[in-house]
mmCIF file of all heavy atoms in Angstrom:
data_model
loop_
_atom_site.group_PDB
_atom_site.id
_atom_site.type_symbol
_atom_site.label_atom_id
_atom_site.label_comp_id
_atom_site.label_asym_id
_atom_site.label_seq_id
_atom_site.Cartn_x
_atom_site.Cartn_y
_atom_site.Cartn_z
ATOM 1 N N ILE A 3 99.389 108.602 103.419
ATOM 2 C CA ILE A 3 98.309 107.762 102.917
ATOM 3 C C ILE A 3 97.675 106.986 104.065
ATOM 4 O O ILE A 3 96.449 106.862 104.135
ATOM 5 C CB ILE A 3 98.839 106.817 101.819
ATOM 6 C CG1 ILE A 3 99.283 107.634 100.598
ATOM 7 C CG2 ILE A 3 97.790 105.806 101.409
ATOM 8 C CD1 ILE A 3 99.986 106.829 99.545
ATOM 9 N N PHE A 8 93.229 105.919 107.937
ATOM 10 C CA PHE A 8 92.709 105.697 109.286
ATOM 11 C C PHE A 8 91.744 106.801 109.719
ATOM 12 O O PHE A 8 90.885 106.563 110.565
ATOM 13 C CB PHE A 8 93.848 105.564 110.293
ATOM 14 C CG PHE A 8 94.618 104.282 110.136
ATOM 15 C CD1 PHE A 8 95.995 104.297 110.024
ATOM 16 C CD2 PHE A 8 93.979 103.062 110.075
ATOM 17 C CE1 PHE A 8 96.715 103.131 109.876
ATOM 18 C CE2 PHE A 8 94.674 101.881 109.919
ATOM 19 C CZ PHE A 8 96.044 101.919 109.823
ATOM 20 N N LYS A 11 89.224 109.644 105.452
ATOM 21 C CA LYS A 11 89.075 110.734 104.492
ATOM 22 C C LYS A 11 89.818 110.395 103.208
ATOM 23 O O LYS A 11 90.850 109.729 103.242
ATOM 24 C CB LYS A 11 89.649 112.032 105.071
ATOM 25 C CG LYS A 11 88.928 112.506 106.308
ATOM 26 C CD LYS A 11 89.524 113.801 106.793
ATOM 27 C CE LYS A 11 88.764 114.279 108.020
ATOM 28 N NZ LYS A 11 89.283 115.568 108.491
ATOM 29 N N VAL A 13 92.284 111.101 100.036
ATOM 30 C CA VAL A 13 93.479 111.921 99.829
ATOM 31 C C VAL A 13 93.167 112.966 98.764
ATOM 32 O O VAL A 13 92.777 112.617 97.644
ATOM 33 C CB VAL A 13 94.676 111.049 99.397
ATOM 34 C CG1 VAL A 13 95.884 111.916 99.117
ATOM 35 C CG2 VAL A 13 94.984 110.009 100.448
ATOM 36 N N SER A 15 94.429 115.743 96.221
ATOM 37 C CA SER A 15 95.664 116.067 95.528
ATOM 38 C C SER A 15 95.343 116.829 94.249
ATOM 39 O O SER A 15 94.285 116.644 93.652
ATOM 40 C CB SER A 15 96.432 114.794 95.190
ATOM 41 O OG SER A 15 97.558 115.095 94.417
ATOM 42 N N GLU A 17 97.272 116.423 91.699
ATOM 43 C CA GLU A 17 97.789 115.547 90.654
ATOM 44 C C GLU A 17 96.686 114.638 90.135
ATOM 45 O O GLU A 17 95.769 114.280 90.877
ATOM 46 C CB GLU A 17 98.932 114.695 91.201
ATOM 47 C CG GLU A 17 100.124 115.486 91.662
ATOM 48 C CD GLU A 17 101.222 114.601 92.217
ATOM 49 O OE1 GLU A 17 101.089 113.367 92.141
ATOM 50 O OE2 GLU A 17 102.197 115.155 92.724
ATOM 51 N N ASP A 21 98.078 105.894 86.992
ATOM 52 C CA ASP A 21 97.657 104.757 86.172
ATOM 53 C C ASP A 21 98.242 103.479 86.767
ATOM 54 O O ASP A 21 98.952 103.517 87.780
ATOM 55 C CB ASP A 21 98.070 104.945 84.710
ATOM 56 C CG ASP A 21 99.573 105.056 84.528
ATOM 57 O OD1 ASP A 21 100.283 105.227 85.533
ATOM 58 O OD2 ASP A 21 100.033 104.972 83.377
ATOM 59 N N LEU A 23 100.586 101.254 85.825
ATOM 60 C CA LEU A 23 102.040 101.094 85.847
ATOM 61 C C LEU A 23 102.681 102.006 86.890
ATOM 62 O O LEU A 23 103.571 101.580 87.633
ATOM 63 C CB LEU A 23 102.631 101.379 84.468
ATOM 64 C CG LEU A 23 104.139 101.209 84.337
ATOM 65 C CD1 LEU A 23 104.527 99.765 84.648
ATOM 66 C CD2 LEU A 23 104.598 101.595 82.948
ATOM 67 N N THR A 24 102.215 103.230 86.975
ATOM 68 C CA THR A 24 102.746 104.161 87.964
ATOM 69 C C THR A 24 102.403 103.694 89.366
ATOM 70 O O THR A 24 103.206 103.831 90.289
ATOM 71 C CB THR A 24 102.183 105.580 87.727
ATOM 72 O OG1 THR A 24 102.413 105.937 86.373
ATOM 73 C CG2 THR A 24 102.838 106.589 88.628
ATOM 74 N N ASN A 25 101.222 103.125 89.541
ATOM 75 C CA ASN A 25 100.814 102.610 90.842
ATOM 76 C C ASN A 25 101.685 101.421 91.270
ATOM 77 O O ASN A 25 102.101 101.335 92.431
ATOM 78 C CB ASN A 25 99.343 102.205 90.793
ATOM 79 C CG ASN A 25 98.660 102.369 92.123
ATOM 80 O OD1 ASN A 25 99.158 103.040 93.013
ATOM 81 N ND2 ASN A 25 97.512 101.747 92.244
ATOM 82 N N VAL A 26 101.977 100.530 90.337
ATOM 83 C CA VAL A 26 102.866 99.389 90.632
ATOM 84 C C VAL A 26 104.257 99.892 90.986
ATOM 85 O O VAL A 26 104.885 99.409 91.933
ATOM 86 C CB VAL A 26 102.913 98.416 89.430
ATOM 87 C CG1 VAL A 26 104.035 97.406 89.583
ATOM 88 C CG2 VAL A 26 101.578 97.717 89.273
ATOM 89 N N GLY A 30 105.839 99.378 94.615
ATOM 90 C CA GLY A 30 107.078 98.598 94.590
ATOM 91 C C GLY A 30 108.198 99.308 95.331
ATOM 92 O O GLY A 30 108.950 98.698 96.088
ATOM 93 N N ILE A 33 107.455 99.083 99.127
ATOM 94 C CA ILE A 33 107.802 97.761 99.678
ATOM 95 C C ILE A 33 109.306 97.569 99.732
ATOM 96 O O ILE A 33 109.852 97.042 100.711
ATOM 97 C CB ILE A 33 107.111 96.658 98.858
ATOM 98 C CG1 ILE A 33 105.595 96.725 99.082
ATOM 99 C CG2 ILE A 33 107.649 95.281 99.206
ATOM 100 C CD1 ILE A 33 104.787 95.868 98.155
ATOM 101 N N PHE A 41 115.615 95.200 107.166
ATOM 102 C CA PHE A 41 116.907 94.517 107.156
ATOM 103 C C PHE A 41 117.938 95.293 107.972
ATOM 104 O O PHE A 41 118.674 94.707 108.770
ATOM 105 C CB PHE A 41 117.396 94.334 105.721
ATOM 106 C CG PHE A 41 118.761 93.718 105.634
ATOM 107 C CD1 PHE A 41 118.931 92.371 105.879
ATOM 108 C CD2 PHE A 41 119.869 94.484 105.314
ATOM 109 C CE1 PHE A 41 120.187 91.790 105.802
ATOM 110 C CE2 PHE A 41 121.129 93.925 105.237
ATOM 111 C CZ PHE A 41 121.288 92.569 105.481
ATOM 112 N N ALA A 44 117.177 94.858 111.631
ATOM 113 C CA ALA A 44 117.537 93.519 112.095
ATOM 114 C C ALA A 44 119.043 93.376 112.277
ATOM 115 O O ALA A 44 119.505 92.817 113.280
ATOM 116 C CB ALA A 44 117.020 92.471 111.107
ATOM 117 N N SER A 56 129.915 99.937 120.413
ATOM 118 C CA SER A 56 131.022 100.813 120.783
ATOM 119 C C SER A 56 130.708 101.533 122.096
ATOM 120 O O SER A 56 131.309 102.552 122.402
ATOM 121 C CB SER A 56 131.297 101.811 119.655
ATOM 122 O OG SER A 56 130.141 102.583 119.412
ATOM 123 N N TRP A 58 130.437 101.848 126.306
ATOM 124 C CA TRP A 58 131.397 101.556 127.355
ATOM 125 C C TRP A 58 131.253 100.103 127.790
ATOM 126 O O TRP A 58 130.184 99.521 127.696
ATOM 127 C CB TRP A 58 131.166 102.486 128.533
ATOM 128 C CG TRP A 58 131.365 103.922 128.180
ATOM 129 C CD1 TRP A 58 132.527 104.513 127.822
ATOM 130 C CD2 TRP A 58 130.361 104.916 128.113
ATOM 131 N NE1 TRP A 58 132.321 105.839 127.532
ATOM 132 C CE2 TRP A 58 130.991 106.132 127.712
ATOM 133 C CE3 TRP A 58 128.991 104.950 128.346
ATOM 134 C CZ2 TRP A 58 130.305 107.306 127.561
ATOM 135 C CZ3 TRP A 58 128.320 106.130 128.182
ATOM 136 C CH2 TRP A 58 128.974 107.284 127.791
ATOM 137 N N VAL A 61 128.157 98.885 130.014
ATOM 138 C CA VAL A 61 126.772 99.149 129.601
ATOM 139 C C VAL A 61 126.176 97.880 129.007
ATOM 140 O O VAL A 61 126.727 97.296 128.068
ATOM 141 C CB VAL A 61 126.727 100.295 128.568
ATOM 142 C CG1 VAL A 61 125.305 100.531 128.089
ATOM 143 C CG2 VAL A 61 127.315 101.552 129.152
#
Side-chain angles (χ1 to χ4, degrees):
I3 294 172
F8 289 128
K11 297 182 179 182
V13 177
S15 175
E17 297 179 6
D21 61 347
L23 182 61
T24 307
N25 211 16
V26 168
I33 292 170
F41 176 75
S56 59
W58 298 294
V61 177

